[in-house]
Amino acid sequence: MVLRYAALILAFLAIAPAAHATGTITCADQDDRVALELSIGSLPVLKVVGGSIAVDDRMIAIGGDDADAFAVGQAFRADGRLMVDFTDMNIEAVTARLRLEEAGEDRDFVTAGTFQLVGTGAYAVTCVGP
């Protein structure tokens, strides 16, 4: 009997999805001045695990070791809204904000909103991804 349960558990684990699986959200503005790529974890809550932000000629890593890198201060996804606040790596100030609205009907889905880089500008963006 124990062997039967062990075999069932092993079979279940073999087909269960990996807990560390990620998806990607990619956003851009219509003038190609801004590009964001966020890797998000497959968790019950929104977890941004990495990515990058490009504004004009400036490239910013999310969670990187660069002096110019951003940390994820907070991230939230519910009721068709996705919100992420980025901070400096010392978490002393908010450096950027992403606010998105998601809408869908049948097989048509769209995600759009704003990206603000504090001290630089605010941009309308459209996105694809989970």
Side-chain angles (χ1 to χ4, degrees):
M1 187 63 125
V2 172
L3 289 175
R4 179 181 294 169
Y5 287 121
L8 286 173
I9 290 170
L10 288 174
F12 176 76
L13 291 175
I15 62 171
H20 62 281
T22 60
T24 302
I25 299 173
T26 305
C27 303
D29 72 331
Q30 69 179 15
D31 299 326
D32 292 326
R33 292 187 59 205
V34 175
L36 291 97
E37 184 172 294
L38 305 178
S39 295
I40 57 173
S42 178
L43 302 168
V45 295
L46 179 63
K47 175 66 177 169
V48 179
V49 295
S52 63
I53 300 169
V55 178
D56 294 325
D57 293 332
R58 183 177 176 194
M59 180 63 81
I60 305 159
I62 299 169
D65 295 332
D66 305 354
D68 201 26
F70 286 173
V72 177
Q74 59 185 351
F76 184 76
R77 186 181 210 168
D79 301 324
R81 298 194 76 205
L82 184 143
M83 298 171 280
V84 182
D85 288 336
F86 301 95
T87 67
D88 61 279
M89 293 304 288
N90 292 328
I91 312 173
E92 296 173 336
V94 173
T95 51
R97 295 177 179 90
L98 179 64
R99 302 292 185 263
L100 302 176
E101 295 283 335
E102 305 166 320
E105 188 68 37
D106 195 24
R107 291 184 178 191
D108 298 322
F109 293 94
V110 65
T111 302
T114 59
F115 172 72
Q116 176 192 10
L117 183 59
V118 175
T120 300
Y123 310 89
V125 295
T126 55
C127 307
V128 295

